[in-house]
């Protein structure tokens, strides 16, 4: 079997992980979650969740992946705990599951990008979303998105994923900064900023029971945690870097890009008098399209905006596909190219129901975020905290150059604080999924 691949550079690894993290979760999901959960108050809880729960949980995945140098399934046996491969199996299933509908949204984005050039959605953005979001054409664009994703992953870790994300992540940042600067200068833009940035503390305190699980869940989704993307990506690290510095950079960059996306979306919505509270999956698409339809040079701005959304979505989709591809080529003597194509084809088929019905699509998204990812994170955190334990600390210490004393504190933080938060989130989100209210 061929030698296992590694990243060419440390920056390449960090950018690939940021590319995975920055995606539809930041530009599409985060604004509508914020709008549905009371604006800036949600942002505050989200920032805390990303730093206090997301960052240590990412380190947990890194310590598994770098030590094992294996895919998400075999990583657990490689470090001595074969029974825990069940968590890896869940990760593989979740990868298939999420990418199947994520790619459908990717297809919507391509249609919006094309529609921007011609101004097709300008007349009636609501109807446009209805037309493009389900049906045979949606299936076709879902196929196009999957094909591009397969193409990048087929090129390999270095020449595909690393090369692509090295170009993609910096362009995402530059373009979003440009759009944000332009957005706040629009009339009404300042109100959008205020809505996004000044929290209503009373609203926050009275809705903590819904805000916390949504914010923690959003942090997991946005940081690509809970299904082994970060285990897989860390398994390609060649030398022992300081994982804490890497994870810290990734979390800061991802959060900053999420906030940047909010700075683009909210001023634009307020400038067009669009109510961000009327949210839902289609909301950001419809309302951004409405905004572009009414702005001077809307074709150009729309194309730039949907172009950046597409790049962000692709750099995340490749990480989802890589989890499954990595498992297959670690275990079978098959070429990366044929595995990428075969797995991509299966995921494409799995996504067809979501491309035909928005209800099915919503159900897939809800099951992923309320059940699969919280279960995955809970199991990974339990494993690292209470089973892998001291060995995880030793792994985290590697590469810290004598500054590794934080590692034991990290372990206790994972054992107590992170575990409590993830179990709480799991319970609240599963009961939410089943329609049970735990609080009156
Ligand atoms: N983090 C990506 C986003 O924000 C989506 C994503 C990629 C993801 N890989 C993941 C989510 C793994 C959960 C698990 O769009």
């Amino acid at each position: 079997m061929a030698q296992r691949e590694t990243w060419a550079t440390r920056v390449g690894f960090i950018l690939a992980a940021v590319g995975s993290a920055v995606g539809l979760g930041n530009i599409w999901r985060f604004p509508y979650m914020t709008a549905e959960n009371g604006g800036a108050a949600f942002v505050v809880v989200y920032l805390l969740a990303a730093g206090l729960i997301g960052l240590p949980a990412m380190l947990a995945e890194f310590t598994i992946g770098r030590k094992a140098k294996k895919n998400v399934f075999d990583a657990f046996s490689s470090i001595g705990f074969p029974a825990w491969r069940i968590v890896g199996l869940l990760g593989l299933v979740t990868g298939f599951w999420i990418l199947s509908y994520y790619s459908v949204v990717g297809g919507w984005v391509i249609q919006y990008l094309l529609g921007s050039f011609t101004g097709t959605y300008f007349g009636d953005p609501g109807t446009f979303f209805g037309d493009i979001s389900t049906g045979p054409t949606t299936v076709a664009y879902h196929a196009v998105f999957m094909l591009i994703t397969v193409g990048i992953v087929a090129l390999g870790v270095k020449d595909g994923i690393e090369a692509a994300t090295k170009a993609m992540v910096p362009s995402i940042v530059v373009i979003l900064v440009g759009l944000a600067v332009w957005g706040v200068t629009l009339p009404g833009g300042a109100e959008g900023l205020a809505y996004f940035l000044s929290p209503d503390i009373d609203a926050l305190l009275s809705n903590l029971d819904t805000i916390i699980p949504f914010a923690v869940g959003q942090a997991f989704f946005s940081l690509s945690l809970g299904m082994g993307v970060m285990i897989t990506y860390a398994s390609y690290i060649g030398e022992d870097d300081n994982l804490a510095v890497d994870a810290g950079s990734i979390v800061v960059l991802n959060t900053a890009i999420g906030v940047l996306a909010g700075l683009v979306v909210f001023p634009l919505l307020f400038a067009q008098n669009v109510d961000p509270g009327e949210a839902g999956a289609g909301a950001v698409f419809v309302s951004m399209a409405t905004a572009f339809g009414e702005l001077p040079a809307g074709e150009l701005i729309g194309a730039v905006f949907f172009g950046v959304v597409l790049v962000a979505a692709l750099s995340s989709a490749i990480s989802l596909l890589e989890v499954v591809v990595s498992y297959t080529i670690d275990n079978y003597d098959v070429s990366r190219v044929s595995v990428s194509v075969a797995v991509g084809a299966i995921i494409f088929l799995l996504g067809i129901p979501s491309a035909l019905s928005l209800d099915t699509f919503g159900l897939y998204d809800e099951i992923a975020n309320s059940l699969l990812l919280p279960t995955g994170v809970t199991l990974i955190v339990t494993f690292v905290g209470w089973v892998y334990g001291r060995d995880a600390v030793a792994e985290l210490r590697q590469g810290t150059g004598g500054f590794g004393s934080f590692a034991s504190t990290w372990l206790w933080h994972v054992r107590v604080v992170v575990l409590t938060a993830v179990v709480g989130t799991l319970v609240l989100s599963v009961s939410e999924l089943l329609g049970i209210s735990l609080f009156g």
Side-chain angles (χ1 to χ4, degrees), residues 286-303:
V286 176
S287 25
M288 292 307 281
T290 308
F292 298 137
E294 291 169 11
L295 288 166
E299 285 94 343
L300 177 67
I301 312 254

Side-chain angles (χ1 to χ4, degrees), residues 174-225:
V174 170
I175 293 173
L176 282 181
V177 169
L179 284 173
V181 168
W182 170 82
V184 292
T185 60
L186 293 173
E191 283 160 57
L193 274 192
Y195 174 82
F196 183 57
L197 297 178
S198 34
D200 175 347
I201 302 295
D202 289 338
L204 170 66
L205 292 178
S206 52
N207 293 309
L208 274 183
D209 59 321
T210 51
I211 292 184
I212 290 178
F214 277 128
V216 176
Q218 171 62 19
F220 293 152
F221 185 87
S222 189
L223 290 169
S224 302
L225 298 173

Side-chain angles (χ1 to χ4, degrees), residues 20-26 98 102 220-225 227 229 316 319-320 373:
S20 168
V22 173
L24 297 166
N26 303 61
I98 295 183
Y102 199 88
F220 293 152
F221 185 87
S222 189
L223 290 169
S224 302
L225 298 173
M227 56 154 282
V229 165
S316 300
S319 72
L320 290 159
L373 290 175

Side-chain angles (χ1 to χ4, degrees), residues 102 108 132 266 384 389 425:
Y102 199 88
W108 297 352
I132 64 109
F266 287 106
V384 170
T425 306

Side-chain angles (χ1 to χ4, degrees), residues 365-385:
D365 188 39
E366 220 176 311
I367 289 181
N369 291 295
S370 302
L371 185 65
L372 300 175
L373 290 175
T375 306
V377 181
T378 303
L379 291 171
I380 291 171
V381 165
T382 307
F383 170 75
V384 170

Side-chain angles (χ1 to χ4, degrees), residues 18-109:
V18 172
S20 168
V22 173
L24 297 166
N26 303 61
I27 307 181
W28 160 70
R29 215 163 169 278
F30 178 57
Y32 92 73
M33 286 254 122
T34 303
E36 280 187 343
N37 289 289
F42 178 82
V43 179
V44 173
V45 182
Y46 170 75
L47 294 180
L48 288 174
L52 294 177
I53 314 295
L55 173 62
M58 179 176 289
L59 281 174
E61 291 203 18
F62 280 177
T63 58
I64 301 175
R66 188 178 66 181
K67 171 103 179 154
K69 305 252 181 310
K70 283 280 179 202
N71 63 83
V72 64
F73 182 74
D74 298 295
F76 291 92
S77 41
S78 170
I79 58 176
F81 304 96
W84 286 83
R85 276 181 305 182
I86 185 91
V87 181
L89 185 62
L90 176 67
L92 292 173
V93 171
T94 308
F96 276 97
W97 187 271
I98 295 183
L99 186 51
S100 79
Y101 72 87
Y102 199 88
S103 166
V104 172
V105 186
W108 297 352
V109 178

Side-chain angles (χ1 to χ4, degrees), residues 1 4-5 70-72 74 91-92 95-96 99 146 149-157 161 227 232-233 236 317-345 347:
M1 214 170 274
R4 208 163 184 280
E5 278 195 87
K70 283 280 179 202
N71 63 83
V72 64
D74 298 295
L92 292 173
F96 276 97
L99 186 51
M146 235 11 254
T149 308
V150 165
I152 298 173
V153 171
L155 288 173
V157 173
I161 301 175
M227 56 154 282
T232 306
Y233 274 17
Y236 299 130
I318 56 183
S319 72
L320 290 159
L321 184 59
E322 178 61 21
V323 169
V324 182
V325 168
S326 171
Y327 162 75
T328 317
I329 51 182
D330 274 352
N331 283 286
Y332 305 95
D333 203 4
V334 278
S335 79
R336 173 175 275 273
V337 175
S338 41
V339 174
S340 307
V341 172
V343 174
I347 294 177

